[in-house]
Protein backbone atom coordinates (compact mmCIF):
# COMPACT_ATOMS: atom_id res chain seq x y z
CA UNK A 1 0.00 0.00 0.00
CA UNK A 2 1.71 3.20 -1.19
CA UNK A 3 0.95 5.93 1.33
CA UNK A 4 3.23 8.78 0.27
CA UNK A 5 0.41 10.71 -1.44
CA UNK A 6 -2.61 8.47 -1.65
CA UNK A 7 -5.84 9.86 -3.03
CA UNK A 8 -8.25 10.32 -0.15
CA UNK A 9 -11.99 10.23 0.30
CA UNK A 10 -14.13 11.80 3.00
CA UNK A 11 -17.76 10.90 3.59
CA UNK A 12 -19.69 12.99 6.08
CA UNK A 13 -18.70 16.64 6.12
CA UNK A 14 -20.62 17.99 9.10
CA UNK A 15 -19.22 20.14 11.92
CA UNK A 16 -16.24 17.86 12.53
CA UNK A 17 -15.79 16.26 9.11
CA UNK A 18 -15.49 19.50 7.18
CA UNK A 19 -12.57 20.66 9.32
CA UNK A 20 -10.85 17.29 9.09
CA UNK A 21 -11.23 16.96 5.30
CA UNK A 22 -10.06 20.58 5.05
CA UNK A 23 -6.80 19.75 6.84
CA UNK A 24 -6.09 16.96 4.37
CA UNK A 25 -6.73 19.31 1.47
CA UNK A 26 -4.46 21.95 2.96
CA UNK A 27 -1.78 19.28 3.45
CA UNK A 28 -1.82 18.76 -0.32
CA UNK A 29 -3.86 15.59 -0.63
CA UNK A 30 -6.44 15.07 -3.36
CA UNK A 31 -9.67 14.50 -1.45
CA UNK A 32 -12.93 13.21 -2.90
CA UNK A 33 -15.83 14.29 -0.72
CA UNK A 34 -19.38 13.10 -0.42
CA UNK A 35 -22.19 14.25 1.82
CA UNK A 36 -25.88 13.34 1.83
CA UNK A 37 -26.61 17.07 2.04
CA UNK A 38 -24.60 18.59 -0.81
CA UNK A 39 -24.72 22.10 0.68
CA UNK A 40 -22.35 20.99 3.41
CA UNK A 41 -19.59 20.51 0.82
CA UNK A 42 -19.40 24.19 -0.15
CA UNK A 43 -16.35 25.29 1.80
CA UNK A 44 -14.41 22.13 0.90
CA UNK A 45 -14.98 22.55 -2.83
CA UNK A 46 -13.48 26.04 -2.52
CA UNK A 47 -10.44 24.43 -0.91
CA UNK A 48 -10.11 22.18 -3.98
CA UNK A 49 -12.00 19.05 -2.94
CA UNK A 50 -13.36 16.85 -5.74
CA UNK A 51 -17.07 16.22 -5.47
CA UNK A 52 -18.35 12.66 -5.61
CA UNK A 53 -22.05 12.05 -6.25
CA UNK A 54 -22.14 8.72 -4.45
CA UNK A 55 -20.26 6.54 -2.01
CA UNK A 56 -19.34 4.30 -4.94
CA UNK A 57 -17.72 7.25 -6.69
CA UNK A 58 -15.60 8.08 -3.63
CA UNK A 59 -14.34 4.54 -3.27
CA UNK A 60 -13.65 4.32 -6.99
CA UNK A 61 -11.18 7.25 -6.77
CA UNK A 62 -9.74 7.08 -3.27
CA UNK A 63 -7.25 4.64 -1.81
CA UNK A 64 -8.06 5.74 1.71
CA UNK A 65 -11.66 6.59 2.61
CA UNK A 66 -12.57 8.29 5.87
CA UNK A 67 -16.06 8.56 7.30
CA UNK A 68 -17.48 10.91 9.93
CA UNK A 69 -21.16 10.11 10.27
CA UNK A 70 -23.95 10.54 12.76
CA UNK A 71 -25.31 7.28 14.10
CA UNK A 72 -24.33 3.61 14.02
CA UNK A 73 -27.18 3.04 11.55
CA UNK A 74 -25.51 5.55 9.21
CA UNK A 75 -22.19 3.77 9.66
CA UNK A 76 -23.87 0.46 8.89
CA UNK A 77 -25.47 1.87 5.72
CA UNK A 78 -22.31 3.55 4.46
CA UNK A 79 -20.06 0.55 5.10
CA UNK A 80 -22.30 -2.49 4.78
CA UNK A 81 -25.14 -1.24 2.57
CA UNK A 82 -25.75 -2.48 -0.94
CA UNK A 83 -24.26 0.73 -2.35
CA UNK A 84 -21.77 1.03 0.45
CA UNK A 85 -18.02 1.15 0.87
CA UNK A 86 -17.30 -2.54 1.26
CA UNK A 87 -19.57 -3.61 -1.60
CA UNK A 88 -17.79 -1.13 -3.86
CA UNK A 89 -14.31 -1.41 -2.34
CA UNK A 90 -11.20 -3.11 -3.71
CA UNK A 91 -8.33 -5.00 -2.10
CA UNK A 92 -5.61 -2.90 -0.47
CA UNK A 93 -7.92 0.01 0.25
CA UNK A 94 -8.04 1.44 3.75
CA UNK A 95 -11.17 2.68 5.49
CA UNK A 96 -11.05 4.92 8.56
CA UNK A 97 -14.21 5.45 10.56
CA UNK A 98 -13.96 8.59 12.70
CA UNK A 99 -17.59 8.26 13.82
CA UNK A 100 -18.23 7.42 17.44
CA UNK A 101 -20.14 4.21 16.99
CA UNK A 102 -20.69 0.75 18.40
CA UNK A 103 -17.63 -1.45 19.09
CA UNK A 104 -19.56 -4.48 17.81
CA UNK A 105 -20.31 -2.75 14.53
CA UNK A 106 -16.64 -1.76 14.24
CA UNK A 107 -15.67 -5.41 14.58
CA UNK A 108 -18.27 -6.48 12.02
CA UNK A 109 -17.07 -3.88 9.51
CA UNK A 110 -13.43 -4.86 9.99
CA UNK A 111 -14.30 -8.53 9.40
CA UNK A 112 -16.38 -7.87 6.29
CA UNK A 113 -13.65 -5.57 4.96
CA UNK A 114 -10.96 -8.18 5.63
CA UNK A 115 -12.87 -10.73 3.57
CA UNK A 116 -12.36 -8.45 0.57
CA UNK A 117 -8.72 -7.65 1.38
CA UNK A 118 -9.65 -4.21 2.67
CA UNK A 119 -8.27 -2.77 5.91
CA UNK A 120 -10.53 -0.92 8.31
CA UNK A 121 -9.79 0.98 11.50
CA UNK A 122 -12.23 2.38 14.02
CA UNK A 123 -10.80 5.78 14.82
CA UNK A 124 -13.21 7.97 16.81
CA UNK A 125 -11.93 11.35 17.87
CA UNK A 126 -12.16 13.70 20.81
CA UNK A 127 -11.54 17.42 21.02
CA UNK A 128 -14.79 18.85 19.71
CA UNK A 129 -15.26 21.38 16.96
CA UNK A 130 -12.31 23.43 18.26
CA UNK A 131 -10.02 20.40 18.23
CA UNK A 132 -11.09 19.53 14.68
CA UNK A 133 -10.60 23.11 13.49
CA UNK A 134 -7.17 23.46 15.07
CA UNK A 135 -6.00 19.93 14.15
CA UNK A 136 -5.62 19.09 17.82
CA UNK A 137 -7.93 16.08 17.92
CA UNK A 138 -7.22 13.07 20.04
CA UNK A 139 -7.73 9.97 17.84
CA UNK A 140 -8.44 6.57 19.41
CA UNK A 141 -7.80 3.64 17.09
CA UNK A 142 -8.81 0.01 17.06
CA UNK A 143 -7.72 -2.62 14.52
CA UNK A 144 -4.46 -4.07 13.26
CA UNK A 145 -1.43 -2.25 14.65
CA UNK A 146 0.30 -2.56 11.29
CA UNK A 147 -2.57 -0.83 9.53
CA UNK A 148 -2.60 1.79 12.30
CA UNK A 149 1.05 2.58 11.56
CA UNK A 150 0.26 2.92 7.86
CA UNK A 151 -2.61 5.32 8.59
CA UNK A 152 -0.66 7.32 11.15
CA UNK A 153 0.81 9.99 8.82
CA UNK A 154 -2.72 10.81 7.66
CA UNK A 155 -4.00 10.93 11.23
CA UNK A 156 -1.11 13.16 12.29
CA UNK A 157 -2.49 15.85 9.99
CA UNK A 158 -5.70 15.90 12.05
CA UNK A 159 -4.62 15.53 15.63
CA UNK A 160 -1.96 15.53 18.26
CA UNK A 161 -2.58 12.45 20.31
CA UNK A 162 -3.02 9.43 18.07
CA UNK A 163 -3.22 6.16 19.99
CA UNK A 164 -3.67 2.51 19.08
CA UNK A 165 -5.83 0.94 21.79
CA UNK A 166 -6.09 -2.66 20.62
CA UNK A 167 -7.99 -4.86 18.17
CA UNK A 168 -11.08 -3.97 16.10
CA UNK A 169 -13.50 -1.97 18.26
CA UNK A 170 -10.90 -0.90 20.85
CA UNK A 171 -10.90 2.65 19.50
CA UNK A 172 -14.65 2.81 20.09
CA UNK A 173 -14.22 1.46 23.60
CA UNK A 174 -11.60 4.12 24.36
CA UNK A 175 -13.97 6.76 23.02
CA UNK A 176 -16.68 5.41 25.31
CA UNK A 177 -14.30 6.06 28.24
CA UNK A 178 -13.99 9.60 26.95
CA UNK A 179 -17.77 10.07 26.76
CA UNK A 180 -18.36 8.50 30.17
CA UNK A 181 -15.85 10.96 31.61
CA UNK A 182 -17.56 13.91 29.96
CA UNK A 183 -21.06 12.83 30.98
CA UNK A 184 -20.59 13.20 34.73
CA UNK A 185 -18.39 16.22 34.31
CA UNK A 186 -20.97 18.06 32.26
CA UNK A 187 -23.61 17.55 34.95
CA UNK A 188 -21.36 18.70 37.73
CA UNK A 189 -20.22 21.81 35.86
CA UNK A 190 -23.86 22.78 35.30
CA UNK A 191 -24.75 22.03 38.92
CA UNK A 192 -21.91 24.30 40.04
CA UNK A 193 -23.28 27.08 37.84
CA UNK A 194 -26.81 26.53 39.13
CA UNK A 195 -25.50 26.72 42.69
CA UNK A 196 -23.52 29.87 41.93
CA UNK A 197 -26.58 31.58 40.49
CA UNK A 198 -28.83 30.47 43.34
CA UNK A 199 -26.49 31.89 46.03
CA UNK A 200 -25.81 35.10 44.10
CA UNK A 201 -22.17 34.60 43.09
CA UNK A 202 -20.79 36.23 39.97
CA UNK A 203 -20.56 33.27 37.56
CA UNK A 204 -17.55 34.76 35.74
CA UNK A 205 -15.60 35.01 38.98
CA UNK A 206 -16.70 31.53 39.98
CA UNK A 207 -15.45 30.24 36.64
CA UNK A 208 -12.12 32.03 37.12
CA UNK A 209 -11.63 30.48 40.55
CA UNK A 210 -12.91 26.99 39.88
CA UNK A 211 -11.19 26.89 36.50
CA UNK A 212 -7.77 27.49 37.99
CA UNK A 213 -7.68 24.82 40.69
CA UNK A 214 -8.27 21.11 41.16
CA UNK A 215 -11.78 21.32 39.68
CA UNK A 216 -10.69 22.53 36.29
CA UNK A 217 -11.38 20.70 33.06
CA UNK A 218 -11.55 21.27 29.33
CA UNK A 219 -15.33 21.30 29.73
CA UNK A 220 -15.23 24.04 32.32
CA UNK A 221 -12.74 26.19 30.47
CA UNK A 222 -14.22 25.81 26.99
CA UNK A 223 -17.94 25.20 27.42
CA UNK A 224 -18.82 27.21 30.53
CA UNK A 225 -17.85 30.51 28.84
CA UNK A 226 -20.16 29.61 25.95
CA UNK A 227 -23.00 28.97 28.42
CA UNK A 228 -22.34 32.31 30.13
CA UNK A 229 -22.49 34.06 26.74
CA UNK A 230 -25.75 32.24 25.95
CA UNK A 231 -24.13 30.41 23.02
CA UNK A 232 -25.57 26.90 23.12
CA UNK A 233 -24.72 25.95 19.53
CA UNK A 234 -22.88 22.71 18.84
CA UNK A 235 -19.91 21.89 19.25
CA UNK A 236 -21.19 18.45 19.74
CA UNK A 237 -24.87 17.63 19.31
CA UNK A 238 -27.04 16.55 22.24
CA UNK A 239 -28.56 13.75 20.19
CA UNK A 240 -25.15 12.40 19.25
CA UNK A 241 -24.08 12.45 22.87
CA UNK A 242 -27.23 10.54 23.83
CA UNK A 243 -26.32 7.99 21.17
CA UNK A 244 -22.82 7.62 22.63
CA UNK A 245 -24.13 7.24 26.18
CA UNK A 246 -26.53 4.55 24.99
CA UNK A 247 -23.68 2.62 23.36
CA UNK A 248 -21.59 2.87 26.54
CA UNK A 249 -24.49 1.89 28.81
CA UNK A 250 -25.28 -1.04 26.54
CA UNK A 251 -21.67 -2.26 26.52
CA UNK A 252 -21.45 -1.86 30.29
CA UNK A 253 -24.72 -3.70 30.83
CA UNK A 254 -23.54 -6.63 28.70
CA UNK A 255 -20.68 -6.95 31.19
CA UNK A 256 -22.86 -6.54 34.28
CA UNK A 257 -21.25 -3.21 35.07
CA UNK A 258 -23.41 -0.50 36.63
CA UNK A 259 -22.41 3.10 35.89
CA UNK A 260 -24.83 5.22 37.94
CA UNK A 261 -23.42 8.65 37.03
CA UNK A 262 -23.60 7.78 33.34
CA UNK A 263 -27.19 6.58 33.82
CA UNK A 264 -28.08 9.84 35.54
CA UNK A 265 -26.44 11.90 32.78
CA UNK A 266 -28.38 9.88 30.18
CA UNK A 267 -31.62 10.82 31.98
CA UNK A 268 -30.68 14.49 32.23
CA UNK A 269 -29.88 14.63 28.51
CA UNK A 270 -33.19 12.90 27.77
CA UNK A 271 -34.90 15.75 29.63
CA UNK A 272 -32.99 18.20 27.47
CA UNK A 273 -33.99 16.40 24.27
CA UNK A 274 -37.59 16.24 25.48
CA UNK A 275 -37.49 19.98 26.11
CA UNK A 276 -36.94 20.28 22.36
CA UNK A 277 -33.17 20.76 22.19
CA UNK A 278 -31.63 17.63 20.61
CA UNK A 279 -29.79 19.79 18.08
CA UNK A 280 -28.07 22.12 20.52
CA UNK A 281 -24.56 21.52 21.85
CA UNK A 282 -23.96 19.25 24.82
CA UNK A 283 -23.40 22.28 27.06
CA UNK A 284 -27.06 23.17 26.52
CA UNK A 285 -27.55 20.82 29.48
CA UNK A 286 -27.53 24.15 31.29
CA UNK A 287 -31.15 24.61 30.16
CA UNK A 288 -32.23 21.66 32.31
CA UNK A 289 -30.65 23.26 35.37
CA UNK A 290 -31.81 26.76 34.50
CA UNK A 291 -35.28 25.27 34.40
CA UNK A 292 -34.79 23.90 37.92
CA UNK A 293 -33.68 27.32 39.14
CA UNK A 294 -37.12 28.60 38.16
CA UNK B 1 -2.95 47.88 60.01
CA UNK B 2 0.73 47.58 59.14
CA UNK B 3 1.10 44.69 56.73
CA UNK B 4 4.71 45.05 55.56
CA UNK B 5 5.99 42.27 57.85
CA UNK B 6 3.22 41.38 60.28
CA UNK B 7 3.74 38.52 62.68
CA UNK B 8 1.62 35.60 61.53
CA UNK B 9 -0.14 32.71 63.19
CA UNK B 10 -1.22 29.39 61.72
CA UNK B 11 -3.63 27.02 63.43
CA UNK B 12 -4.12 23.58 61.87
CA UNK B 13 -1.00 22.19 60.26
CA UNK B 14 -2.31 19.07 58.52
CA UNK B 15 -1.66 18.04 54.90
CA UNK B 16 -2.54 21.47 53.50
CA UNK B 17 -1.76 23.73 56.44
CA UNK B 18 1.83 22.60 56.90
CA UNK B 19 2.70 23.49 53.30
CA UNK B 20 0.95 26.85 53.55
CA UNK B 21 2.56 27.84 56.85
CA UNK B 22 5.87 26.67 55.39
CA UNK B 23 5.57 29.10 52.48
CA UNK B 24 5.06 31.99 54.87
CA UNK B 25 8.11 30.94 56.85
CA UNK B 26 10.20 30.66 53.68
CA UNK B 27 8.98 34.12 52.66
CA UNK B 28 10.58 35.49 55.84
CA UNK B 29 7.56 35.92 58.09
CA UNK B 30 7.61 35.09 61.76
CA UNK B 31 4.91 32.44 62.12
CA UNK B 32 3.45 31.15 65.39
CA UNK B 33 1.98 27.71 64.87
CA UNK B 34 -0.47 25.65 66.86
CA UNK B 35 -1.89 22.20 66.23
CA UNK B 36 -4.01 19.97 68.44
CA UNK B 37 -1.62 17.14 67.59
CA UNK B 38 1.84 18.58 68.35
CA UNK B 39 3.67 15.98 66.21
CA UNK B 40 2.30 17.64 63.11
CA UNK B 41 4.38 20.75 63.85
CA UNK B 42 7.76 18.99 63.45
CA UNK B 43 8.71 20.08 59.98
CA UNK B 44 7.57 23.65 60.57
CA UNK B 45 9.65 24.05 63.74
CA UNK B 46 12.70 23.02 61.68
CA UNK B 47 11.80 25.81 59.26
CA UNK B 48 11.87 28.27 62.16
CA UNK B 49 8.23 28.41 63.25
CA UNK B 50 7.53 29.50 66.82
CA UNK B 51 5.45 27.00 68.75
CA UNK B 52 2.35 28.19 70.57
CA UNK B 53 0.78 25.96 73.23
CA UNK B 54 -2.70 27.33 72.81
CA UNK B 55 -4.92 29.32 70.48
CA UNK B 56 -4.69 32.18 72.97
CA UNK B 57 -0.91 32.17 72.68
CA UNK B 58 -1.10 32.39 68.86
CA UNK B 59 -3.45 35.32 68.93
CA UNK B 60 -1.36 37.04 71.58
CA UNK B 61 1.68 37.11 69.26
CA UNK B 62 0.25 37.29 65.75
CA UNK B 63 -1.37 40.20 63.96
CA UNK B 64 -2.75 37.92 61.27
CA UNK B 65 -3.98 34.45 62.21
CA UNK B 66 -4.79 31.82 59.61
CA UNK B 67 -6.70 28.61 60.25
CA UNK B 68 -6.88 25.38 58.23
CA UNK B 69 -9.11 23.00 60.12
CA UNK B 70 -11.19 19.92 59.47
CA UNK B 71 -14.88 20.44 60.08
CA UNK B 72 -17.22 23.37 60.68
CA UNK B 73 -17.44 22.27 64.33
CA UNK B 74 -13.65 22.71 64.58
CA UNK B 75 -13.94 26.14 62.98
CA UNK B 76 -16.69 27.06 65.43
CA UNK B 77 -14.57 25.93 68.40
CA UNK B 78 -11.41 27.67 67.26
CA UNK B 79 -13.13 30.97 66.42
CA UNK B 80 -16.11 31.16 68.73
CA UNK B 81 -15.11 28.92 71.63
CA UNK B 82 -14.41 30.18 75.11
CA UNK B 83 -10.67 29.84 74.54
CA UNK B 84 -10.96 30.74 70.89
CA UNK B 85 -9.63 33.36 68.53
CA UNK B 86 -12.33 35.98 68.90
CA UNK B 87 -12.51 35.71 72.71
CA UNK B 88 -8.75 36.25 72.85
CA UNK B 89 -8.42 38.60 69.90
CA UNK B 90 -7.75 42.33 69.82
CA UNK B 91 -8.92 45.15 67.54
CA UNK B 92 -7.11 45.50 64.19
CA UNK B 93 -6.22 41.82 64.01
CA UNK B 94 -7.05 39.88 60.86
CA UNK B 95 -8.27 36.30 60.80
CA UNK B 96 -8.17 34.18 57.64
CA UNK B 97 -10.05 30.90 57.55
CA UNK B 98 -8.73 28.62 54.82
CA UNK B 99 -10.98 25.75 55.94
CA UNK B 100 -13.78 24.74 53.63
CA UNK B 101 -16.71 25.33 55.91
CA UNK B 102 -20.27 26.55 56.07
CA UNK B 103 -21.12 29.95 54.54
CA UNK B 104 -23.46 30.66 57.44
CA UNK B 105 -20.71 30.02 59.96
CA UNK B 106 -18.38 32.29 57.98
CA UNK B 107 -20.94 35.08 58.23
CA UNK B 108 -21.40 34.49 61.94
CA UNK B 109 -17.63 34.57 62.57
CA UNK B 110 -17.22 37.75 60.54
CA UNK B 111 -19.99 39.44 62.53
CA UNK B 112 -18.66 38.38 65.92
CA UNK B 113 -15.16 39.45 64.88
CA UNK B 114 -16.41 42.83 63.68
CA UNK B 115 -18.01 43.48 67.05
CA UNK B 116 -14.49 43.39 68.51
CA UNK B 117 -12.90 45.42 65.72
CA UNK B 118 -11.35 42.31 64.20
CA UNK B 119 -11.45 41.58 60.46
CA UNK B 120 -12.22 38.09 59.22
CA UNK B 121 -12.19 36.61 55.74
CA UNK B 122 -13.43 33.22 54.64
CA UNK B 123 -10.74 32.05 52.23
CA UNK B 124 -11.09 28.37 51.32
CA UNK B 125 -8.60 27.02 48.82
CA UNK B 126 -8.50 24.61 45.92
CA UNK B 127 -5.56 22.81 44.35
CA UNK B 128 -5.05 19.90 46.71
CA UNK B 129 -1.87 18.82 48.42
CA UNK B 130 0.12 19.48 45.23
CA UNK B 131 -1.23 23.00 44.91
CA UNK B 132 -0.43 23.72 48.55
CA UNK B 133 3.09 22.31 48.22
CA UNK B 134 3.82 24.25 45.03
CA UNK B 135 2.13 27.48 46.17
CA UNK B 136 -0.30 27.20 43.29
CA UNK B 137 -3.53 27.23 45.29
CA UNK B 138 -6.64 28.93 44.11
CA UNK B 139 -8.01 31.00 47.01
CA UNK B 140 -11.66 32.03 47.11
CA UNK B 141 -12.38 34.91 49.45
CA UNK B 142 -15.49 36.32 51.05
CA UNK B 143 -15.69 39.43 53.24
CA UNK B 144 -14.85 43.09 52.94
CA UNK B 145 -13.05 43.90 49.71
CA UNK B 146 -10.82 46.35 51.57
CA UNK B 147 -9.72 43.67 54.00
CA UNK B 148 -9.21 41.32 51.06
CA UNK B 149 -6.81 43.81 49.50
CA UNK B 150 -4.90 44.09 52.76
CA UNK B 151 -4.59 40.30 53.00
CA UNK B 152 -3.68 39.85 49.36
CA UNK B 153 0.14 40.03 49.66
CA UNK B 154 0.01 37.23 52.22
CA UNK B 155 -2.30 35.16 50.03
CA UNK B 156 -0.07 35.71 47.01
CA UNK B 157 2.65 33.74 48.80
CA UNK B 158 0.35 30.69 48.84
CA UNK B 159 -1.43 30.70 45.53
CA UNK B 160 -1.79 31.95 42.03
CA UNK B 161 -5.44 32.71 41.62
CA UNK B 162 -6.70 34.83 44.48
CA UNK B 163 -10.26 36.05 44.01
CA UNK B 164 -12.69 38.14 46.00
CA UNK B 165 -16.15 36.65 45.45
CA UNK B 166 -18.33 38.93 47.53
CA UNK B 167 -19.43 39.50 51.14
CA UNK B 168 -18.86 37.23 54.18
CA UNK B 169 -19.44 33.60 53.16
CA UNK B 170 -19.01 34.18 49.41
CA UNK B 171 -15.62 32.47 49.46
CA UNK B 172 -17.27 29.41 50.96
CA UNK B 173 -19.98 29.50 48.30
CA UNK B 174 -17.36 29.68 45.55
CA UNK B 175 -15.58 26.74 47.10
CA UNK B 176 -18.88 24.83 47.11
CA UNK B 177 -19.02 25.37 43.33
CA UNK B 178 -15.55 23.89 43.17
CA UNK B 179 -16.57 20.84 45.19
CA UNK B 180 -19.79 20.33 43.24
CA UNK B 181 -17.72 20.35 40.04
CA UNK B 182 -15.29 17.80 41.42
CA UNK B 183 -18.01 15.50 42.78
CA UNK B 184 -19.53 14.55 39.43
CA UNK B 185 -16.16 14.56 37.72
CA UNK B 186 -14.69 12.12 40.22
CA UNK B 187 -17.54 9.66 39.61
CA UNK B 188 -17.28 9.86 35.87
CA UNK B 189 -13.49 9.43 35.85
CA UNK B 190 -13.88 6.28 37.96
CA UNK B 191 -16.71 5.01 35.77
CA UNK B 192 -14.51 5.47 32.71
CA UNK B 193 -11.78 3.43 34.39
CA UNK B 194 -14.25 0.73 35.39
CA UNK B 195 -15.49 0.58 31.80
CA UNK B 196 -11.93 0.42 30.44
CA UNK B 197 -11.09 -2.48 32.73
CA UNK B 198 -14.31 -4.33 31.96
CA UNK B 199 -13.74 -4.19 28.18
CA UNK B 200 -10.05 -5.03 28.42
CA UNK B 201 -8.47 -1.70 27.46
CA UNK B 202 -5.03 -0.73 28.74
CA UNK B 203 -5.91 1.90 31.40
CA UNK B 204 -2.64 3.79 30.81
CA UNK B 205 -3.42 4.19 27.12
CA UNK B 206 -7.01 5.14 27.91
CA UNK B 207 -5.71 7.80 30.28
CA UNK B 208 -3.31 9.10 27.63
CA UNK B 209 -6.11 9.42 25.06
CA UNK B 210 -8.89 10.70 27.28
CA UNK B 211 -6.49 13.02 29.09
CA UNK B 212 -5.51 14.82 25.91
CA UNK B 213 -8.91 15.70 24.48
CA UNK B 214 -12.20 17.31 25.50
CA UNK B 215 -12.60 14.97 28.47
CA UNK B 216 -9.47 16.06 30.25
CA UNK B 217 -9.40 17.55 33.71
CA UNK B 218 -7.07 18.14 36.63
CA UNK B 219 -8.73 15.17 38.31
CA UNK B 220 -8.00 12.87 35.40
CA UNK B 221 -4.43 14.01 34.94
CA UNK B 222 -3.45 14.12 38.60
CA UNK B 223 -5.58 11.56 40.42
CA UNK B 224 -6.07 8.81 37.83
CA UNK B 225 -2.30 8.08 37.70
CA UNK B 226 -2.36 7.71 41.50
CA UNK B 227 -5.25 5.24 41.21
CA UNK B 228 -3.38 3.26 38.55
CA UNK B 229 -0.33 3.10 40.83
CA UNK B 230 -2.54 1.94 43.69
CA UNK B 231 -1.74 5.08 45.69
CA UNK B 232 -4.99 6.06 47.40
CA UNK B 233 -3.48 8.28 50.08
CA UNK B 234 -4.84 11.78 50.59
CA UNK B 235 -4.53 14.38 48.92
CA UNK B 236 -7.85 15.31 50.19
CA UNK B 237 -9.69 13.15 52.73
CA UNK B 238 -12.90 11.31 51.85
CA UNK B 239 -14.51 12.41 55.11
CA UNK B 240 -13.71 16.07 54.43
CA UNK B 241 -15.17 15.79 50.95
CA UNK B 242 -18.34 14.27 52.40
CA UNK B 243 -18.50 17.23 54.81
CA UNK B 244 -18.18 19.65 51.86
CA UNK B 245 -20.87 17.89 49.84
CA UNK B 246 -23.19 18.01 52.85
CA UNK B 247 -22.66 21.76 53.17
CA UNK B 248 -23.38 22.27 49.47
CA UNK B 249 -26.44 20.01 49.47
CA UNK B 250 -27.75 21.80 52.54
CA UNK B 251 -27.22 25.26 51.00
CA UNK B 252 -28.86 24.11 47.74
CA UNK B 253 -31.79 22.58 49.58
CA UNK B 254 -32.40 25.82 51.50
CA UNK B 255 -32.85 27.44 48.09
CA UNK B 256 -35.03 24.66 46.67
CA UNK B 257 -32.32 23.68 44.21
CA UNK B 258 -31.96 19.99 43.34
CA UNK B 259 -28.46 18.84 42.38
CA UNK B 260 -28.90 15.17 41.42
CA UNK B 261 -25.28 14.47 40.41
CA UNK B 262 -24.06 15.90 43.69
CA UNK B 263 -26.60 13.78 45.55
CA UNK B 264 -25.41 10.68 43.73
CA UNK B 265 -21.77 11.49 44.46
CA UNK B 266 -22.65 11.95 48.13
CA UNK B 267 -24.17 8.45 48.15
CA UNK B 268 -21.16 6.92 46.42
CA UNK B 269 -18.78 8.51 48.91
CA UNK B 270 -20.96 7.26 51.75
CA UNK B 271 -20.47 3.75 50.36
CA UNK B 272 -16.73 4.36 50.36
CA UNK B 273 -16.80 5.59 53.96
CA UNK B 274 -18.96 2.62 54.95
CA UNK B 275 -16.44 0.29 53.30
CA UNK B 276 -14.01 1.62 55.91
CA UNK B 277 -12.08 4.23 53.94
CA UNK B 278 -13.01 7.69 55.27
CA UNK B 279 -9.32 8.53 55.69
CA UNK B 280 -8.19 7.73 52.17
CA UNK B 281 -7.98 10.34 49.41
CA UNK B 282 -11.05 11.29 47.37
CA UNK B 283 -9.72 9.29 44.42
CA UNK B 284 -10.20 6.16 46.54
CA UNK B 285 -13.72 6.34 45.12
CA UNK B 286 -12.18 3.86 42.71
CA UNK B 287 -12.64 1.18 45.40
CA UNK B 288 -16.42 1.51 45.10
CA UNK B 289 -16.22 0.87 41.37
CA UNK B 290 -13.58 -1.84 41.68
CA UNK B 291 -16.00 -3.53 44.03
CA UNK B 292 -18.71 -3.35 41.35
CA UNK B 293 -16.33 -4.89 38.80
CA UNK B 294 -16.19 -7.97 41.03
Amino acid sequence: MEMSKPTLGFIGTGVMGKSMAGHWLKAGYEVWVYNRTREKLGHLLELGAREARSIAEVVQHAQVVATMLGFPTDVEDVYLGENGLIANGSPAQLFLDFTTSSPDLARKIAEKAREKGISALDAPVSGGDIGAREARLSIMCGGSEEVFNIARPLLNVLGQNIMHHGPDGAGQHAKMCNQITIAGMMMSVMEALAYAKSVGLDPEKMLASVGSGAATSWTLQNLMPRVLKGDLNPGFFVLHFIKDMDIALNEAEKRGLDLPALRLARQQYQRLADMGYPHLGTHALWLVYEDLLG
Side-chain angles (χ1 to χ4, degrees), chain A:
Chain A
M1 210 181 303
E2 172 53 55
M3 282 289 142
S4 57
K5 271 292 182 210
T7 301
L8 308 182
F10 209 108
I11 297 171
T13 55
V15 178
M16 302 288 286
K18 73 178 173 195
S19 293
M20 296 167 78
H23 290 305
W24 278 349
L25 286 163
K26 288 175 214 156
Y29 289 95
E30 181 176 326
V31 185
W32 287 78
V33 293
Y34 172 76
N35 203 77
R36 244 173 356 193
T37 314
R38 279 190 65 197
E39 293 74 48
K40 292 193 180 167
L41 296 179
H43 167 70
L44 291 172
L45 299 180
E46 286 162 29
L47 285 176
R50 310 285 300 268
E51 180 177 2
R53 299 305 180 97
S54 66
I55 293 169
E57 201 183 336
V58 174
V59 82
Q60 183 186 318
H61 290 289
Q63 288 167 261
V64 178
V65 180
T67 50
M68 183 52 130
L69 307 163
F71 291 86
T73 51
D74 302 317
V75 173
E76 195 160 6
D77 281 354
V78 167
Y79 278 87
L80 303 175
E82 221 177 315
N83 302 310
L85 283 173
I86 291 175
N88 288 285
S90 310
Q93 282 186 315
L94 167 57
F95 298 161
L96 299 170
D97 187 17
F98 293 127
T99 320
T100 299
S101 171
S102 131
D104 285 344
L105 180 56
R107 276 190 293 273
K108 190 170 167 192
I109 287 170
E111 273 167 36
K112 294 285 180 195
R114 214 169 276 128
E115 289 168 11
K116 287 196 67 169
I118 299 168
S119 301
L121 295 177
D122 48 301
V125 307
S126 167
D129 55 336
I130 305 172
R133 222 158 42 228
E134 300 180 354
R136 291 192 292 105
L137 290 172
S138 179
I139 310 183
M140 291 153 264
C141 299
S144 143
E145 189 156 12
E146 197 167 56
V147 173
F148 168 74
N149 286 327
I150 291 169
R152 195 163 192 146
L154 292 171
L155 301 176
N156 283 339
V157 178
L158 308 176
Q160 287 183 327
N161 190 57
I162 322 288
M163 294 276 294
H164 181 254
H165 284 279
D168 307 327
Q172 296 299 348
H173 278 310
K175 180 64 189 282
M176 288 303 121
C177 292
N178 194 81
Q179 302 306 74
I180 293 166
T181 304
I182 289 175
M185 188 153 58
M186 199 69 81
M187 285 192 291
S188 61
V189 163
M190 297 311 157
E191 294 193 0
L193 180 56
Y195 182 96
K197 294 217 174 201
S198 80
V199 301
L201 290 181
D202 175 341
E204 300 276 358
K205 285 188 179 179
M206 183 277 280
L207 175 59
S209 269
V210 174
S212 70
T216 197
S217 64
W218 188 98
T219 298
L220 193 82
Q221 294 188 338
N222 288 274
L223 298 183
M224 177 84 89
R226 296 193 200 180
V227 171
L228 294 182
K229 275 186 292 187
D231 170 11
L232 301 181
N233 293 318
F236 186 58
F237 287 112
V238 165
L239 82 171
H240 286 162
F241 194 41
I242 288 177
K243 172 257 300 179
D244 296 354
M245 288 190 280
D246 282 340
I247 294 170
L249 284 167
N250 181 44
E251 293 292 326
E253 196 184 348
K254 279 196 236 168
R255 290 160 180 87
L257 177 66
D258 185 32
L259 302 174
L262 181 62
R263 274 194 287 113
L264 178 61
R266 175 65 184 83
Q267 287 164 24
Q268 295 288 70
Y269 274 95
Q270 189 59 52
R271 287 186 65 173
L272 182 58
D274 292 346
M275 285 165 73
Y277 304 118
H279 293 284
L280 291 183
T282 48
H283 54 300
L285 184 62
W286 169 244
L287 298 174
V288 169
Y289 286 95
E290 194 175 44
D291 204 45
L292 287 175
L293 273 177

